[in-house]
């Protein structure tokens, strides 16, 4: 029986719960995602940069307070927090330092992160290019350097008594107690870099944003450093067209096949004296890379990893810092290239070490003796160890993150040193990023999945959850009508199982036919299909889904992340295999009754821009393409990345030609939009200009947009908004 007042009751409930009544009804706009003022924070604000303290029981968390930060010392188990130091006292101490203004003192005392000494009792500040040392909670601070020349890449020695830095491309140390300064190298200049990396070494070997090219020995007595001679390297001009007097950046940039910087490994005493050089007998200076440097725990050996320029081998070497004499511990080879992993040897107390290698085609852990003799392979199988996070020798555990459970989401694991007892510690589906305490008693887990922004939790070493640090619930996501994201697998014609992700329109009707927008990257070992939060690009794809498009991610085999073995098939031959796999994915799409196979577009950036231009000039399967920051001929890209996969143009001319969109420009099929940052110093704008020229000569019409003051990624919020609106309009008008 229906109560007479049921309607009134329902109205009352809706009045009490207006959000529920309107939930999931809003449609996304470009302003919601990209407008610098109006955008919605769809990713939330999870705590980032949490740094463990030495006791393994507390971590540092920078909490925003208006325009400043308060650095808090947090009890990991309880969440109880207190200031890490007295910011007012630091500010007062800095005010006593000559040349520090009141505003600068206030800013420096309220930063979100500091360079701490190893004891975590002092900080090193770099302001206006000079260095200041401050003992936490002391009444005074000490200016370590003065003068017009800028100091950079500063760091503490392991004992905290010295500070190292680079000035004028030479390496220096200064005593924190006496302020006595010593210059360790004397050859630095515009073309000789000591202790600091050049563009190609930073970008392709040591990681974007990491320019430091020196390493302290554990006993604080010596510094190993790279010396890079840029004189053989040709420069590449990048022009900022916006100033009335245009600014020219003339940067050393070795194109594929051109001379690289000549590298040496220097060994300097912190006390001063002549530099010793690691012995390089057997290596051709013009055909030589140093891809990692570290020290043995006893400081008796500088450990460095060396490769030839085409990276067909990797040698793990040990150099005597007193003489420079070098001993090769072992050589890595594979069926194709050897890609340097991010790790140095992970040393154990008995002098042996753990080593990560993809020699079998899958990246796994190996246990070596101090002499370089293999003791045992620790992990094995058709999955990857993506990084070692901690070692608990007392408990006989190695902690790592990898893909044993899922190729599209990394989890946290532990295994015993003898390879037994492998166990997954993270049970929730999604992508996990662990941050282990120094004692390996806990780890902070940053977890996200395709539908959920990052959440942060504390776990004990056995995987048990201890505390939710930040659930990071984003209420705004529940207010929008979002399409369903579904993970899928598609087999290639020869049986390889590719990972895919499909986002359907929120009002999806399987009886209708929908156009498809495909997102690609396609580069070696760079998957885009991930069960993790995709940020603003994912939300833009949801906007396209709301406009009636199916959005399709597909990782071709070489991009899949399924081991190096999946990438080797493209060795010396970028383009054809990647395209064949994408075409197999396209053929699968066309079998789906709700897909309009005549209306499929493709877009990507960087390697994805290359893949888009290659597909549009070598296939007729895509009606539309948007290519951003594209390599349009691999001879136009840098030596270290390109030669790893393609060899030099001199040694592989046919491969370069077969993989060149420039060479196929006359065969363009479909509507194409090209986008490039006008001061891109990574993939130079010349790639897009050369491609445009070939298209013009062939009589093809296309769209082109350049973004001034933008490098390899467009980052200015106003320009990003413009770009995404333009891309949306192009898709709606042509697909």
């Amino acid at each position: 029986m229906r109560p007479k007042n049921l309607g009134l009751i329902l109205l009352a409930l809706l009045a009490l719960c207006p959000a529920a009544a309107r939930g999931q009804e809003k449609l996304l706009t470009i302003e919601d995602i990209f407008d610098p003022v109006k955008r919605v924070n769809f990713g939330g604000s999870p705590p980032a940069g949490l740094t463990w303290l030495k006791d393994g029981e507390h971590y540092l968390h920078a909490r925003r307070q208006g325009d400043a930060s308060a650095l808090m010392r947090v009890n990991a188990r309880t969440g109880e927090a207190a200031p890490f130091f007295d910011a007012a006292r630091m500010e007062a101490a800095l005010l006593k330092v000559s040349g520090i203004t009141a505003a600068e003192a206030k800013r420096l005392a309220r930063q979100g992160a500091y360079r701490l000494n190893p004891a975590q009792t002092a900080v090193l500040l770099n302001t206006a290019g000079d260095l200041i040392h401050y003992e936490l909670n002391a009444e005074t601070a000490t200016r370590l350097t003065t003068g017009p020349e800028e100091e950079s890449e500063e760091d503490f020695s392991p004992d905290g008594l010295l500070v190292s830095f680079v000035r004028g491309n030479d390496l220096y140390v200064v005593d924190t107690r006496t302020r006595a300064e010593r210059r360790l190298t004397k050859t630095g200049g515009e073309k000789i870099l000591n202790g600091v990396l050049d563009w190609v070494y930073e970008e392709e070997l040591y990681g974007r944003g990491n320019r430091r090219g020196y390493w302290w020995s554990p006993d604080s007595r010596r510094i190993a450093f790279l010396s890079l001679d840029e004189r053989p390297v040709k420069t590449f001009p990048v022009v900022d067209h916006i100033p009335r007097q245009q600014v020219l950046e003339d940067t050393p940039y070795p194109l594929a096949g051109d001379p690289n910087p000549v590298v040496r490994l220097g060994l300097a005493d912190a006390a001063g004296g002549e530099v010793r050089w690691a012995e390089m007998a057997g290596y051709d200076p013009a055909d030589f890379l140093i891809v990692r440097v570290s020290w043995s725990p006893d400081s008796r050996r500088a450990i460095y990893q060396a490769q030839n320029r085409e990276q067909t081998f990797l040698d793990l070497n040990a150099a005597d810092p007193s003489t420079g004499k070098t001993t090769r511990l072992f050589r890595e080879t594979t069926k194709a290239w050897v890609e340097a992993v991010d790790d140095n040897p992970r040393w154990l107390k008995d002098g042996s070490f753990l080593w990560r290698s993809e020699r079998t085609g899958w990246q796994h852990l190996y246990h070596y003796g101090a002499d370089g003799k293999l003791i045992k392979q620790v992990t094995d199988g058709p999955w990857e160890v993506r990084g070692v996070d901690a070692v608990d020798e007392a408990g006989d555990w190695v902690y790592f993150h990898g893909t044993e459970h899922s190729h599209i989401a990394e989890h946290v694991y532990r295994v015993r040193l003898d390879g037994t007892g492998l166990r997954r510690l993270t049970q929730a589906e999604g992508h996990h990023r662990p941050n282990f305490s120094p004692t390996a008693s806990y780890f902070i887990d940053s977890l996200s999945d395709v539908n959920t922004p990052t959440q942060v939790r504390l776990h004990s070493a056995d995987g048990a959850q201890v505390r939710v640090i930040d659930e990071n619930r984003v209420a705004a996501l529940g207010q929008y009508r979002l399409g369903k994201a579904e993970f899928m697998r598609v087999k290639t014609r020869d049986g390889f199982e590719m990972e895919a992700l499909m986002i359907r329109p929120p009002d999806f009707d399987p009886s209708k036919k929908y156009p498809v927008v495909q997102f690609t990257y396609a580069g070696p070992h760079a998957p885009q299909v991930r069960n993790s939060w995709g940020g603003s690009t994912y939300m833009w794809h949801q906007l396209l889904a709301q406009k009636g498009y199916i959005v399709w991610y597909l990782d071709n085999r070489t991009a899949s992340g399924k081991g190096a073995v999946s990438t080797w098939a493209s060795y010396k031959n970028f383009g054809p295999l990647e395209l064949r796999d994408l075409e197999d994915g396209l053929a699968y799409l066309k079998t789906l009754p709700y897909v309009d196979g005549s209306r499929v577009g493709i877009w990507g950036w960087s390697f994805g821009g290359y893949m888009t231009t290659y597909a549009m000039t070598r296939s007729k399967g895509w009606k539309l393409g948007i290519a951003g920051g594209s390599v349009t001929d691999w001879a136009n890209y840098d030596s270290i990345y390109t030669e790893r996969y393609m060899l030099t143009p001199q040694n592989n001319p046919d491969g370069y030609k077969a993989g060149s969109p420039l060479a196929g420009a006359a065969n363009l099929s479909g509507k194409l939009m090209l986008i490039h940052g006008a001061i891109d110093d990574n993939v130079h704008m010349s790639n897009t200009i050369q491609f445009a020229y070939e298209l013009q000569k062939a009589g093809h019409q296309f769209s082109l947009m350049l973004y001034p003051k933008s490098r390899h990624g467009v980052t200015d919020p106003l320009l990003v908004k413009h770009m995404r609106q333009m891309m949306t309009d192009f898709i709606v008008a042509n697909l």
Side-chain angles (χ1 to χ4, degrees):
M1 179 182 288
R2 179 182 177 184
K4 292 180 180 179
N5 60 349
L6 178 60
L8 292 175
I9 292 171
L10 290 173
L11 286 172
L13 288 171
L14 289 174
L16 290 171
C17 304
R22 299 191 302 270
Q24 297 184 319
E25 290 302 314
K26 296 176 70 174
L27 295 179
L28 292 160
T29 66
I30 292 293
E31 286 73 19
D32 289 336
I33 308 171
F34 298 110
D35 188 275
V37 176
K38 300 177 183 178
R39 64 186 167 196
V40 178
N41 182 10
F42 290 112
S45 302
L50 302 182
T51 302
W52 283 99
L53 292 176
K54 291 178 57 132
D55 64 7
E57 299 290 333
H58 296 82
Y59 60 81
L60 296 180
H61 178 200
R63 295 182 179 172
R64 295 296 297 174
Q65 294 182 346
D67 293 333
S69 294
L71 195 58
M72 308 299 289
R73 181 178 186 268
V74 182
N75 184 296
R77 290 192 65 87
T78 67
E80 182 181 353
F84 180 52
F85 64 89
D86 187 332
R89 183 174 290 183
M90 180 191 281
E91 181 180 353
L94 291 171
L95 276 171
K96 300 175 185 177
V97 178
S98 62
I100 301 294
T101 65
E104 185 73 354
K106 184 175 182 178
R107 182 188 68 79
L108 292 171
R110 290 165 178 83
Q111 295 182 163
Y114 292 91
R115 184 168 301 285
L116 292 163
N117 67 344
Q120 298 177 326
T121 58
V123 299
L124 186 60
L125 305 171
N126 190 323
T127 178
D130 281 326
L131 303 180
I132 294 173
H133 179 260
Y134 175 68
E135 291 281 348
L136 294 178
N137 301 318
E139 302 299 326
T140 59
T142 303
R143 178 182 285 279
L144 297 179
T145 64
T146 58
E149 287 190 282
E150 180 180 346
E151 285 78 40
S152 66
E153 306 305 325
E154 63 276 3
D155 199 7
F156 283 100
S157 60
D159 63 12
L161 301 180
L162 299 174
V163 165
S164 49
F165 60 88
V166 175
R167 179 196 293 149
N169 289 331
D170 269 321
L171 190 59
Y172 292 75
V173 295
V174 59
D175 193 301
T176 60
R177 301 155 298 177
T178 65
R179 296 181 58 193
E181 183 179 288
R182 289 185 290 277
R183 182 177 180 178
L184 303 186
T185 65
K186 299 177 181 178
T187 59
E190 182 183 358
K191 294 292 186 179
I192 306 291
L193 283 60
N194 293 315
V196 64
L197 303 178
D198 73 337
W199 185 90
V200 74
Y201 260 70
E202 175 194 352
E203 174 70 19
E204 303 298 2
L205 294 177
Y206 289 85
R208 191 177 302 172
N210 178 22
R211 294 204 66 214
R212 183 176 307 169
Y214 69 85
W215 300 266
W216 277 99
S217 63
D219 63 6
S220 300
R221 292 180 55 199
R222 296 184 172 97
I223 297 177
F225 67 94
L226 295 188
S227 180
L228 292 164
D229 184 350
E230 297 277 84
R231 287 175 294 186
V233 181
K234 297 177 182 178
T235 57
F236 200 99
V238 173
V239 181
D240 182 354
H241 296 84
I242 295 305
R244 182 168 176 267
Q245 296 294 329
Q246 297 185 2
V247 176
L248 173 66
E249 298 176 3
D250 218 8
T251 307
Y253 185 104
L255 294 169
D258 287 347
N260 278 332
V262 175
V263 63
R264 293 192 294 172
L265 178 65
L267 303 161
D269 287 342
E274 290 297 314
V275 170
R276 286 166 297 284
W277 299 99
E279 184 182 84
M280 302 296 178
Y283 297 115
D284 177 356
D287 184 31
F288 181 59
L289 306 171
I290 298 179
V291 300
R292 287 290 180 276
V293 181
S294 62
W295 287 85
S296 61
D298 60 9
S299 300
R300 293 181 179 178
R301 297 184 294 175
I303 308 297
Y304 69 97
Q305 300 173 40
Q307 294 191 272
N308 58 329
R309 66 177 296 157
E310 291 183 335
Q311 297 156 72
T312 58
F313 66 79
L314 183 148
D315 290 342
L316 184 67
N317 293 328
D320 184 329
S322 298
T323 65
K325 180 177 173 56
T326 290
T327 302
R328 188 171 82 191
L329 299 179
F330 59 80
R331 169 169 286 189
E332 288 270 11
T333 59
T334 73
K335 294 179 180 179
W337 63 84
V338 179
E339 188 158 0
V341 298
D342 295 334
D343 296 350
N344 284 300
R346 176 66 70 118
W347 297 93
L348 305 178
K349 291 179 181 177
D350 63 0
S352 65
F353 59 90
L354 294 173
W355 176 256
R356 197 155 52 100
S357 167
E358 58 185 21
R359 65 188 63 164
T360 65
W362 296 91
Q363 202 164 91
H364 280 293
L365 286 180
Y366 298 79
H367 186 192
Y368 275 89
D371 58 358
K373 297 292 192 298
L374 179 64
I375 297 172
K376 183 177 181 59
Q377 182 172 345
V378 179
T379 61
D380 194 14
W383 53 276
E384 293 203 312
V385 174
R386 293 279 174 83
V388 177
D389 299 300
V391 178
D392 174 14
E393 290 195 63
D396 192 35
W397 291 115
V398 180
Y399 296 90
F400 65 91
H401 56 279
T403 61
E404 185 270 344
H405 175 69
S406 170
H407 291 298
I408 63 172
E410 294 176 7
H411 281 260
V412 185
Y413 303 82
R414 72 179 183 184
V415 68
R416 295 198 181 277
L417 281 167
D418 66 2
T420 63
L422 176 67
R423 180 182 163 217
R424 178 163 58 100
L425 303 179
T426 47
Q427 299 304 313
E429 294 299 329
H431 185 82
H432 298 261
R433 290 185 292 109
N435 177 5
F436 272 79
S437 66
T439 56
S441 301
Y442 304 103
F443 66 92
I444 296 168
D445 180 28
S446 296
L447 163 67
S448 74
D449 62 39
V450 70
N451 298 308
T452 312
T454 300
Q455 300 179 345
V456 184
R457 293 178 169 86
L458 178 73
H459 294 260
S460 58
D462 63 1
Q465 181 173 301
V466 177
R467 182 170 70 89
V468 176
I469 294 175
D470 193 329
E471 202 163 16
N472 189 34
R473 290 193 176 275
V474 182
L477 284 169
Q479 299 172 12
Y480 289 81
R481 296 180 63 207
L482 302 182
K484 180 183 178 182
E486 179 184 356
F487 291 105
M488 310 169 74
R489 291 190 176 95
V490 179
K491 284 191 176 181
T492 64
R493 66 194 72 179
D494 58 354
F496 186 90
E497 200 168 57
M498 298 184 290
E499 303 289 339
L501 171 67
M502 180 179 285
I503 305 172
R504 295 183 175 90
D507 55 356
F508 176 73
D509 181 348
S511 68
K512 295 182 178 179
K513 284 191 175 289
Y514 293 89
V516 177
V517 176
Q518 178 174 351
F519 175 55
T520 188
Y521 184 78
H525 220 295
Q528 301 303 300
V529 179
R530 294 188 289 253
N531 191 11
S532 62
W533 179 244
S536 60
T537 295
Y538 176 73
M539 296 306 296
W540 181 65
H541 286 153
Q542 285 283 357
L543 179 149
L544 294 178
Q546 290 177 349
K547 291 184 179 295
Y549 297 93
I550 288 174
V551 178
W552 174 247
Y553 296 51
L554 178 72
D555 283 334
N556 49 287
R557 76 187 72 194
T558 59
S560 67
K562 295 181 179 180
V565 66
S566 67
T567 68
W568 291 341
S570 67
Y571 190 37
K572 299 185 282 189
N573 200 27
F574 272 168
L577 178 60
E578 290 88 342
L579 177 58
R580 194 182 82 183
D581 285 352
L582 295 187
E583 287 180 323
D584 287 351
L586 188 60
Y588 167 79
L589 280 177
K590 291 180 178 180
T591 68
L592 302 177
Y594 48 83
V595 166
D596 184 346
S598 67
R599 298 168 65 200
V600 182
I602 186 171
W603 87 275
W605 202 275
S606 195
F607 202 109
Y610 161 74
M611 201 64 236
T612 298
T613 57
Y614 190 81
M616 297 290 286
T617 56
R618 295 302 204 288
S619 172
K620 298 186 183 301
W622 288 270
K623 183 179 180 182
L624 169 151
I626 301 176
S630 310
V631 176
T632 60
D633 191 300
W634 286 106
N636 286 342
Y637 198 50
D638 78 61
S639 57
I640 293 179
Y641 180 90
T642 307
E643 293 170 15
R644 177 185 303 145
Y645 309 113
M646 292 287 287
L647 306 182
T648 63
Q650 298 91 327
N651 289 338
N652 184 24
D654 293 341
Y656 276 78
K657 183 177 181 181
S660 170
L662 284 180
N667 301 317
L668 177 69
S669 174
K671 297 281 189 178
L672 179 63
M673 169 176 281
L674 302 174
I675 308 172
H676 220 110
I679 57 169
D680 191 336
D681 58 349
N682 185 335
V683 179
H684 296 124
M685 190 174 68
S686 57
N687 282 271
T688 288
I689 299 300
Q690 290 174 19
F691 190 57
Y693 184 44
E694 294 302 317
L695 293 174
Q696 290 162 349
K697 289 189 294 183
H700 292 298
Q701 298 298 319
F702 59 95
S703 298
L704 171 64
M705 181 61 68
L706 303 178
Y707 283 97
K709 289 194 165 300
S710 296
R711 295 198 183 271
H712 193 44
V714 179
T715 57
D716 182 313
L718 290 174
L719 301 190
V720 171
K721 178 185 173 184
H722 178 279
M723 180 180 72
R724 292 296 188 178
Q725 184 67 64
M726 175 192 66
M727 294 169 70
T728 305
D729 293 344
F730 185 76
I731 290 169
V732 170
N734 295 288
L735 196 61

